[in-house]
Amino acid sequence: MKKLIPFFTTLFSSVVAYADYAMPIQGNKYAAEVDSLYGFLLNVSLFSFVLVIGGMIFFVLKYKRKTDNDGTPYISHNNTLEFLWSFIPFLIFMFVFAWGWKLYYQAKAYPENAFEVHAFGRQWAWDFQYKSGRMSTGEMVVPVGKPIKLIMTSSDVLHSFFIPAFRIKQDVIPGAYTALWFEADKEGEYQVFCAEYCGKSHSTMYAKVKVVSQEEFETWLAADPMKAYDGLNLADRGLKAMKTKGCNACHYLEKDQALVGPSLYGQFGAKRNFVDGSSGVVDEAYIRESIKMPNAKKSVDYENGIMNLIPVNEKEISWIIEYIKSTSKK
Ligand code: CUA
């Protein structure tokens, strides 16, 4: 028993230290306060666990009846103790409630001067739109030290926008708007996860929040995203456009293998059988139609497939066509 005590103390302190160590960095103005509440809950829980389970084991051993009449007192209840072990936890719970309410209120009190960004969830990517007209997929750039408000909706199923480093998470709901706000106090890159199971590629529904200086942000906001395509031939532009728009969440672009959706590699000229019994060949018109009206001609192999409408302009469609052509046998 004596030897076990240091073992358990070490184990206990390792758990506490690990919980502390395992927290992501605090990238949001109010992240530290969320962590304090979390730490408090963790410590109160550990303390209660040791007290309750330890006390139980202690009393079971101490008052174990050896024979029917060994003189062990029979105690049925104790009013004072029963009151205290209900009232003290009640006070702790009320304290935690008030603390949690304060933090929740803070997380839901959107600052009036917040910089607004529209965010859209879809299977399986995040799109962002700024008031200036700048759009991005899988990457949200924001200035440091400014309150940012996200106005969010989904174009298909439930998603959840989760930035661990900011300690915020909010469901994104089709047919409704939800919001969240944060103020990043350090420059850097932060990981966004989808925290609501939303289908096969849920676990790869990532995005990045890039927190940069005000100047850098303005440069980014004013930049022409089409610049990134300068000097590329049409096929390479097609590949880049598809990666930027998150097509690779459902389609392999660089190998002929099915993912959730069919591969887009080497498919030009391939034969397709449609659910209405007709058939056709993958050509320019078919690719364009599949992007603009994904359900118009459903292939028998993907009868239950769902393809989202993704904002793509005519130029980009022609690049995609050229990419698919360039990977296909002549
Ligand atoms: Cu989107 Cu899970």
Side-chain angles (χ1 to χ4, degrees):
M1 191 70 193
K2 276 256 164 65
K3 273 184 197 155
L4 278 178
I5 292 169
F7 171 75
F8 280 112
T9 359
T10 316
L11 185 72
F12 182 78
S13 52
S14 320
V15 169
V16 175
Y18 177 73
D20 200 31
Y21 171 75
M23 293 302 269
I25 62 157
Q26 300 167 334
N28 188 5
K29 201 179 162 190
Y30 52 83
E33 291 178 60
V34 176
D35 288 0
S36 307
L37 175 57
Y38 179 79
F40 178 79
L41 285 170
L42 185 73
N43 285 318
V44 165
S45 306
L46 281 172
F47 179 75
S48 319
F49 176 81
V50 172
L51 194 73
V52 170
I53 304 298
M56 196 175 76
I57 293 168
F58 174 78
F59 287 117
V60 161
L61 295 175
K62 183 166 161 80
Y63 293 106
K64 186 175 186 290
R65 223 174 275 270
K66 278 130 203 137
T67 64
D68 275 353
N69 298 310
D70 62 359
T72 309
Y74 180 78
I75 303 163
S76 69
H77 67 282
N78 182 313
N79 285 338
T80 317
L81 272 179
E82 282 166 28
F83 173 76
L84 284 179
W85 76 50
S86 303
F87 190 67
I88 293 171
F90 170 75
L91 290 181
I92 296 173
F93 286 142
M94 289 316 287
F95 179 69
V96 167
F97 170 75
W99 193 348
W101 187 85
K102 182 182 166 263
L103 290 180
Y104 185 77
Y105 182 80
Q106 192 174 11
K108 290 289 158 192
Y110 308 109
E112 267 176 30
N113 61 341
F115 182 88
E116 291 180 337
V117 180
H118 287 267
F120 306 90
R122 60 172 154 97
Q123 286 168 318
W124 285 280
W126 297 100
D127 299 314
F128 303 97
Q129 246 186 171
Y130 292 74
K131 287 186 184 177
S132 68
R134 182 77 150 101
M135 289 188 228
S136 62
T137 294
E139 179 190 76
M140 177 172 67
V141 180
V142 295
V144 69
K146 285 264 162 63
I148 311 292
K149 181 183 177 184
L150 285 189
I151 302 161
M152 308 188 292
T153 192
S154 163
S155 39
D156 38 51
V157 298
L158 271 180
H159 301 279
S160 182
F161 195 82
F162 179 33
I163 314 173
F166 293 175
R167 310 294 190 273
I168 47 172
K169 188 195 307 176
Q170 171 63 52
D171 275 10
V172 177
I173 302 162
Y177 285 113
T178 53
L180 56 76
W181 83 276
F182 60 87
E183 185 178 323
D185 46 16
K186 289 184 222 35
E187 289 182 27
E189 266 191 34
Y190 303 94
Q191 185 68 50
V192 179
F193 294 97
C194 177
E196 183 68 54
Y197 182 68
C198 55
K200 198 172 174 190
S201 297
H202 155 72
S203 60
T204 59
M205 191 170 162
Y206 298 136
K208 279 252 177 334
V209 180
K210 274 192 189 161
V211 179
V212 297
S213 69
Q214 183 67 32
E215 291 145 38
E216 234 178 296
F217 173 66
E218 273 159 24
T219 315
W220 180 83
L221 202 60
D224 177 5
M226 290 299 149
K227 265 234 166 76
Y229 295 99
D230 280 359
L232 295 181
N233 67 31
L234 294 193
D236 289 345
R237 288 182 188 203
L239 181 61
K240 192 176 174 77
M242 286 194 281
K243 283 182 177 169
T244 311
K245 288 174 191 297
C247 304
N248 49 336
C250 301
H251 303 280
Y252 278 124
L253 305 177
E254 289 166 290
K255 59 177 167 180
D256 184 9
Q257 195 182 319
L259 196 57
V260 180
S263 164
L264 301 182
Y265 183 89
Q267 296 300 306
F268 201 85
K271 200 167 174 269
R272 288 279 189 274
N273 294 313
F274 305 120
V275 285
D276 64 1
S278 65
S279 62
V281 162
V282 177
D283 57 10
E284 287 92 344
Y286 176 74
I287 296 171
R288 186 179 178 284
E289 184 183 56
S290 301
I291 298 170
K292 289 286 193 185
M293 288 178 283
N295 293 321
K297 286 206 185 86
K298 287 198 125 177
S299 161
V300 287
D301 299 327
Y302 298 93
E303 203 175 335
N304 300 317
I306 299 159
M307 155 109 179
N308 278 300
L309 270 180
I310 288 155
V312 185
N313 62 35
E314 291 298 340
K315 262 189 193 163
E316 290 165 329
I317 293 176
S318 67
W319 300 347
I320 292 167
I321 291 171
E322 289 307 324
Y323 174 71
I324 299 174
K325 264 188 200 173
S326 76
T327 60
S328 310
K329 286 189 204 88
K330 303 279 153 18

